[in-house]
Amino acid sequence: MSKIEPSWDYYRTFLMVLKEGSLSAAGRELGLTQPTVGRHVDAMEEMLGFPLFTRSPQGLLPTDAAQALRPYAETLAATSAALLRAASGQQDTVSGTVRISASEVVGIEVLPPILAELHAQYPDLTIELSASDAIEDILRQEAEIAVRMAAPSQDALVALHIGAVPLGFHAHRRYIERRGMPKTLADLSRHSLIGYDRETAAIRAIIARSPDLPEVRFALKADSNLAQLAAIRAGFGIGICQNALAARDPDILPVLADGFTMKLETWLVMHENLKTAPRCRVVFDALAKGLRAYIRQPEVATVQ
Amino acid sequence: MSKIEPSWDYYRTFLMVLKEGSLSAAGRELGLTQPTVGRHVDAMEEMLGFPLFTRSPQGLLPTDAAQALRPYAETLAATSAALLRAASGQQDTVSGTVRISASEVVGIEVLPPILAELHAQYPDLTIELSASDAIEDILRQEAEIAVRMAAPSQDALVALHIGAVPLGFHAHRRYIERRGMPKTLADLSRHSLIGYDRETAAIRAIIARSPDLPEVRFALKADSNLAQLAAIRAGFGIGICQNALAARDPDILPVLADGFTMKLETWLVMHENLKTAPRCRVVFDALAKGLRAYIRQPEVATVQ
DNA sequence: TCTTGCTCATACATAAAAGTATAACAACGA
DNA sequence: TCGTTGTTATACTTTTATGTATGAGCAAGA
């Protein structure tokens, strides 16, 4: 039963050529030379029996067949990276690499202090932070731990409910002094509103739960919640952001705080298999503690 | 950014050594020689920084660390197999390989005629049938299409509800002539019952829906539903099987057909990404049609 | 006790894959 | 228009990986 399977390395170079668009660039990225990369592609094409790229002097154009194979190659790459991370933590001590997936806002505004404290406690721990709104599938092992804004539906996942992150309209003090403070939701139509460009899953969930939201025209549309936050801080207008983030800056004022509230349920998600891995356990616990503290923060501020 | 990543082929040989338990056996299976396999393992150990196996003259014993890495390597193997299957169907025509996961009973008793007709229509199609009760995860790409007995909870899956497969007690005519036909559920305690050894998910679901099931002591316990079916056919005693299967053989009689009914909801599941793949589409449609016909079959038999 | 059969480890020869150098071609900008 | 920089493709060389052959150790069975 010794059938000849092609080298798995071919898939790696194939994916890199797909990503980079040329043999030369893929070679640079992989630490190989251009002829070698070309030979890998040739070998793979011959073994599959159909062309993967149409060659041209300005690069390689992938065929439809190559595009169809891409997700498999990406899964291979993600899995082998996960294997290496898992191997990095196999020592007796808490060490190695843990990859965390979180939204841009959480990854940039919320997590850094939590991770800083964690790293001070475990210096041998390396954290990979995938600060992107793309839903990296934990099941695909693209990350060990994820901060999610929706309850995970999958089995075989450890999901810890952190709590509800309150959201609200906010604006910079400068903007309010210039344009006045709206008293009702209807007043918003006379203001510069900062909103989303594309509808994401989180936004749809909010809209579904808030039927009294007026139809608004946004003065600034940005897909990135981080850009929206920056616009609020710059005094561009009124936008939605996490109350806890706004409370950090005394110049960011809540707008219509009584009339309108939204909540983002937050979950911490991890592979069930990783429960026993010390490095993941430690990061998971630190994130749970840190995020819960972050959520409690605004309530304390309100009491003041 | 040209960091040196180890060859992905190392993971393949690592997995095979894990499976086979020796360098020589792994080499035989992979079409490599024993020294090569040993070198791969050595290289991998050196790059990871810890031993994967403890060598001995009677084979290699995996360390805990190696066991921890095993699932990753298995995902890699499953994915690369899926890639090759996907590539096999990239031709313009309906061709290539499709892997189907189904329970033993369905795979052996129900699917063969459906697949035979399908293959007659598309001779270039190769079918891989994974006839095992193990729940092969469609998300892990271990199979393109699965016949499941529970509604899939995952998103990103195409799930077609086939219908409910009726189950019931059955016994061979010889057994009934010898031991008599039970009239009530209570009578079952005086009979030779064929039942399960371990509790599976499907069994737990049935028990939950049937609180009037008496506590019974099984005369024959078998994990394999196929073995149970064979025992019924051999006249061992009374067991549960699909009505449609029993109806095929006039010597298999329904027992307590009025007083006790169970149903197994059946779903056909496929990756959403594979909807457009012709070879998968064709198999999916054929299975849907064939399974629906199979389910309708017993009702017709009852009307007779 | 002495085969037989299995294992892993080592030394050496070979084959395969990589790198090097260069040519040919296209696009972009001065 | 011509040089620069990018691309792929080809011939040649070198390195690397693999295969072959062999030795040593352990276990089961005659």
Side-chain angles (χ1 to χ4, degrees):
Chain A
M1 264 295 286
S2 62
K3 69 177 160 187
I4 299 100
E5 215 191 332
S7 169
W8 287 3
D9 288 339
Y10 291 166
Y11 305 144
R12 171 166 56 184
T13 63
F14 161 70
L15 177 61
M16 195 54 84
V17 174
L18 222 40
K19 276 183 176 162
E20 297 293 326
S22 87
L23 301 179
S24 322
R28 277 193 297 273
E29 212 64 25
L30 289 168
L32 300 174
T33 57
Q34 168 258 321
T36 301
V37 174
R39 281 189 280 254
H40 282 189
V41 173
D42 290 345
M44 196 166 155
E45 286 179 329
E46 190 181 0
M47 88 94 20
L48 295 181
F50 53 84
L52 293 167
F53 300 92
T54 55
R55 269 80 166 173
S56 86
Q58 57 260 29
L60 273 72
L61 194 71
T63 62
D64 291 350
Q67 296 287 14
L69 298 184
R70 178 169 192 157
Y72 297 93
E74 279 177 336
T75 301
L76 288 174
T79 306
S80 92
L83 185 148
L84 286 177
R85 290 198 299 276
S88 73
Q90 279 307 123
Q91 316 285 45
D92 40 356
T93 157
V94 174
S95 64
T97 303
V98 178
R99 188 176 179 85
I100 303 170
S101 168
S103 72
E104 279 188 342
V105 172
V106 171
I108 291 173
E109 298 285 342
V110 182
L111 293 189
I114 300 173
L115 298 178
E117 187 184 355
L118 174 67
H119 186 256
Q121 199 174 351
Y122 300 101
D124 290 340
L125 213 53
T126 303
I127 303 290
E128 282 184 18
L129 182 55
S130 169
S132 116
D133 279 328
I135 303 166
E136 282 189 295
D137 203 342
I138 290 281
L139 278 170
R140 276 199 181 179
Q141 324 243 45
E142 286 170 25
E144 272 77 33
I145 299 174
V147 184
R148 289 280 182 80
M149 297 316 182
S153 63
Q154 333 270 26
D155 293 352
L157 293 183
V158 182
L160 180 67
H161 186 237
I162 295 294
V165 176
L167 304 179
F169 288 110
H170 291 86
H172 195 278
R173 184 186 304 276
R174 280 201 315 275
Y175 173 86
I176 295 298
E177 286 168 354
R178 197 165 73 239
R179 302 280 297 267
M181 174 69 85
K183 305 293 183 197
T184 67
L185 276 174
D187 288 350
L188 286 179
S189 55
R190 292 182 290 104
H191 277 270
S192 300
L193 295 184
I194 301 162
Y196 46 84
D197 196 4
R198 270 177 313 131
E199 280 195 1
T200 66
I203 290 173
R204 274 193 293 274
I206 289 176
I207 291 176
R209 267 179 289 139
S210 314
D212 53 341
L213 252 182
E215 280 281 331
V216 292
R217 198 177 46 79
F218 294 120
L220 173 64
K221 289 185 178 181
D223 276 347
S224 162
N225 294 88
L226 211 52
Q228 295 178 24
L229 184 60
I232 294 171
R233 285 173 173 156
F236 181 97
I238 300 173
I240 293 174
C241 76
Q242 302 186 12
N243 294 352
L245 288 179
R248 287 177 182 174
D249 183 345
D251 284 333
I252 303 295
L253 306 177
V255 174
L256 295 171
D258 306 327
F260 186 75
T261 57
M262 284 171 292
K263 285 180 176 178
L264 223 50
E265 296 297 331
T266 304
W267 297 75
L268 202 54
V269 186
M270 181 170 65
H271 236 102
E272 200 174 36
N273 300 341
L274 299 174
K275 270 193 304 190
T276 54
R279 73 191 206 288
C280 295
R281 177 97 248 151
V282 161
V283 174
F284 193 88
D285 292 345
L287 286 179
K289 183 163 162 254
L291 287 172
R292 287 211 160 117
Y294 166 74
I295 288 184
R296 270 195 299 277
Q297 186 180 313
E299 303 176 8
V300 176
T302 321
V303 173
Q304 288 181 332
Chain B
M1 264 294 286
S2 63
K3 66 176 161 188
I4 299 99
E5 216 191 333
S7 168
W8 286 2
D9 288 338
Y10 293 167
Y11 304 144
R12 172 168 54 185
T13 64
F14 162 69
L15 176 62
M16 195 54 83
V17 174
L18 222 40
K19 278 182 174 165
E20 296 294 325
S22 86
L23 301 180
S24 321
R28 276 192 298 272
E29 211 64 25
L30 290 167
L32 300 174
T33 57
Q34 168 257 321
T36 302
V37 174
R39 281 188 282 254
H40 283 188
V41 172
D42 289 346
M44 196 165 155
E45 285 178 330
E46 190 181 0
M47 87 96 19
L48 294 181
F50 53 84
L52 292 167
F53 300 93
T54 55
R55 270 79 165 173
S56 85
Q58 55 259 32
L60 272 73
L61 193 71
T63 63
D64 290 351
Q67 297 285 15
L69 298 184
R70 177 169 191 158
Y72 296 93
E74 279 177 335
T75 301
L76 287 175
T79 306
S80 93
L83 186 148
L84 286 177
R85 288 198 300 275
S88 73
Q90 279 307 124
Q91 316 286 44
D92 38 358
T93 157
V94 173
S95 63
T97 302
V98 178
R99 189 178 177 84
I100 303 170
S101 168
S103 72
E104 278 188 342
V105 172
V106 171
I108 290 174
E109 298 285 341
V110 182
L111 294 190
I114 300 173
L115 297 179
E117 187 184 356
L118 174 67
H119 187 257
Q121 198 174 353
Y122 300 101
D124 291 341
L125 213 52
T126 304
I127 302 292
E128 283 184 19
L129 182 55
S130 169
S132 113
D133 279 328
I135 303 166
E136 282 189 294
D137 203 341
I138 290 282
L139 278 170
R140 276 198 180 179
Q141 324 242 46
E142 286 171 24
E144 273 77 32
I145 299 175
V147 183
R148 291 279 183 78
M149 297 315 184
S153 63
Q154 333 269 25
D155 293 351
L157 293 184
V158 182
L160 179 68
H161 185 237
I162 295 294
V165 175
L167 304 179
F169 288 110
H170 292 86
H172 194 278
R173 186 185 303 276
R174 279 199 316 275
Y175 174 86
I176 296 297
E177 287 169 355
R178 197 167 70 241
R179 304 278 299 267
M181 174 70 82
K183 305 292 181 198
T184 67
L185 276 174
D187 288 349
L188 287 178
S189 55
R190 292 182 291 106
H191 277 271
S192 299
L193 295 185
I194 301 162
Y196 47 86
D197 195 4
R198 271 176 314 131
E199 280 195 2
T200 67
I203 290 172
R204 274 193 293 273
I206 288 176
I207 291 176
R209 268 180 288 137
S210 314
D212 52 342
L213 253 182
E215 281 280 332
V216 292
R217 198 177 45 80
F218 294 121
L220 172 64
K221 289 185 179 182
D223 277 346
S224 163
N225 293 89
L226 211 51
Q228 295 178 24
L229 184 60
I232 293 172
R233 285 174 174 157
F236 182 97
I238 299 173
I240 293 174
C241 76
Q242 303 187 11
N243 294 352
L245 287 180
R248 288 178 180 172
D249 183 345
D251 284 332
I252 303 296
L253 306 177
V255 174
L256 294 170
D258 307 325
F260 186 73
T261 58
M262 283 173 293
K263 285 181 177 179
L264 223 48
E265 296 296 330
T266 304
W267 298 75
L268 202 54
V269 186
M270 180 169 65
H271 235 103
E272 198 172 36
N273 300 341
L274 299 175
K275 269 193 304 188
T276 55
R279 73 190 205 290
C280 296
R281 178 95 249 152
V282 162
V283 175
F284 193 88
D285 292 345
L287 286 180
K289 181 164 162 257
L291 287 172
R292 286 208 161 119
Y294 166 73
I295 288 184
R296 267 195 300 277
Q297 185 180 314
E299 303 176 8
V300 176
T302 320
V303 172
Q304 291 179 327

